[in-house]
Amino acid sequence: PSVILSDIVNSQKETSEAVSMAMRKGSLSLGGLREIRPQLKRAAMGGTLSIEELMNIGEFLYVCRKAKNYAKNENKAETYETLDGLFMLIELIPKLENEITRCIISEVEISDDASAGLRNVRKEIRASNDKIRDQLNGIINSSAYRNMLQDFVITIRNDRYCVPVKAEYRSSFPGMIHDQSNTGSTIFIEPMSVVQLNNKIKELQAKEKEEIEKILAYLSEMVTENCPL
């Protein structure tokens, strides 16, 4: 509420223009608009923002762009003297918005193409996974191990590829034991033939994490450069 006449008149004018604009253009959707000032402050202090935080900033910029486009006068006869001034205050940052959109797929996932380093590491991970599966498929389809296996499947225990082996063959099946079933009748063994490949995947996953941290740091620095508080 206000008791100053000029403020009251201006507010009424804003309301009248808003009603007129909504009647002509429909309602302005602000879905995705979030409070991002805490993230901007932390980035300005040298902090690295998370995937979700950066995605929220990207969505905020998208909403700003939608609002700016909404305010464009398609008909030159349309005039919104008061509201046009407010919409003019919205500054678009297409470079930052596009870069966040390019790098981030979802709240938990970075795009392979976010950097050449990440793309190469993930390519190696996929190739190593394929090699392990080929090796393990060879084992579970081999007549030499058929009687030893509890089931002819590939499973994962402690982030390592394993096969389910009958407990009585634990000393006969070459490999590292990672787990056993509740009944103790099944032992989950990582065959020796894939130990090195599993180790390589662990190393590549560490590199993948490093590459993601680099991308998040790069985007966070870009936020600070383009969105000063």
Side-chain angles (χ1 to χ4, degrees):
S2 176
V3 295
I4 301 173
L5 181 59
S6 59
D7 290 346
I8 294 172
V9 171
N10 190 63
S11 295
Q12 288 180 328
K13 188 174 182 180
E14 283 182 4
T15 302
S16 297
E17 288 185 9
V19 171
S20 176
M21 185 177 283
M23 292 290 289
R24 285 176 178 269
K25 300 171 178 283
S27 299
L28 170 61
S29 173
L30 297 176
L33 195 64
R34 294 176 171 83
E35 172 60 78
I36 62 171
R37 280 174 291 189
Q39 288 77 34
L40 298 183
K41 183 176 180 180
R42 191 153 62 80
M45 295 172 65
T48 297
L49 303 181
S50 68
I51 297 175
E52 183 179 1
E53 288 172 327
L54 287 164
M55 189 169 185
N56 288 343
I57 292 173
E59 289 178 349
F60 182 93
L61 295 173
Y62 167 68
V63 173
C64 289
R65 179 162 53 86
K66 278 203 307 181
K68 197 84 168 181
N69 290 334
Y70 175 85
K72 288 180 180 178
N73 293 332
E74 298 172 359
N75 185 344
K76 292 183 179 180
E78 296 178 20
T79 56
Y80 305 101
E81 182 181 345
T82 304
L83 291 184
D84 283 346
L86 295 177
F87 280 109
M88 285 291 292
L89 295 175
I90 300 175
E91 293 187 22
L92 304 184
I93 313 176
K95 183 178 178 181
L96 176 59
E97 181 190 350
N98 292 339
E99 196 67 354
I100 290 174
T101 302
R102 183 184 71 82
C103 294
I104 297 178
I105 295 175
S106 71
E107 294 177 350
V108 295
E109 187 177 4
I110 295 288
S111 168
D112 289 0
D113 294 325
S115 75
L118 182 61
R119 181 171 58 251
N120 291 337
V121 167
R122 286 183 171 171
K123 183 178 179 181
E124 285 191 66
I125 290 174
R126 287 191 289 270
S128 296
N129 279 324
D130 289 342
K131 287 180 182 178
I132 287 179
R133 279 191 284 268
D134 288 343
Q135 290 265 12
L136 294 180
N137 279 325
I139 289 173
I140 63 178
N141 292 316
S142 171
S143 57
Y145 297 107
R146 184 166 298 277
N147 292 332
M148 298 184 184
L149 298 177
Q150 190 72 264
D151 202 355
F152 305 108
V153 296
I154 300 169
T155 185
I156 295 178
R157 290 294 186 277
N158 299 323
D159 296 326
R160 312 281 290 196
Y161 284 99
C162 301
V163 292
V165 178
K166 296 175 183 177
E168 59 265 33
Y169 291 103
R170 64 190 305 163
S171 59
S172 303
F173 192 96
M176 300 173 62
I177 297 174
H178 287 283
D179 198 5
Q180 67 178 25
S181 64
N182 292 332
T183 61
S185 61
T186 303
I187 307 297
F188 297 95
I189 297 180
E190 176 187 5
M192 289 304 298
S193 60
V194 300
V195 168
Q196 290 301 319
L197 283 171
N198 269 327
N199 289 340
K200 182 179 180 181
I201 287 177
K202 296 293 286 186
E203 293 173 3
L204 289 170
Q205 287 172 339
K207 288 183 180 179
E208 178 188 28
K209 187 175 180 181
E210 289 177 6
E211 288 297 326
I212 288 174
E213 286 300 317
K214 289 178 184 177
I215 293 163
L216 296 180
Y218 155 70
L219 291 174
S220 298
E221 183 178 348
M222 196 172 180
V223 167
T224 300
E225 292 173 352
N226 290 275
C227 305
L229 290 175

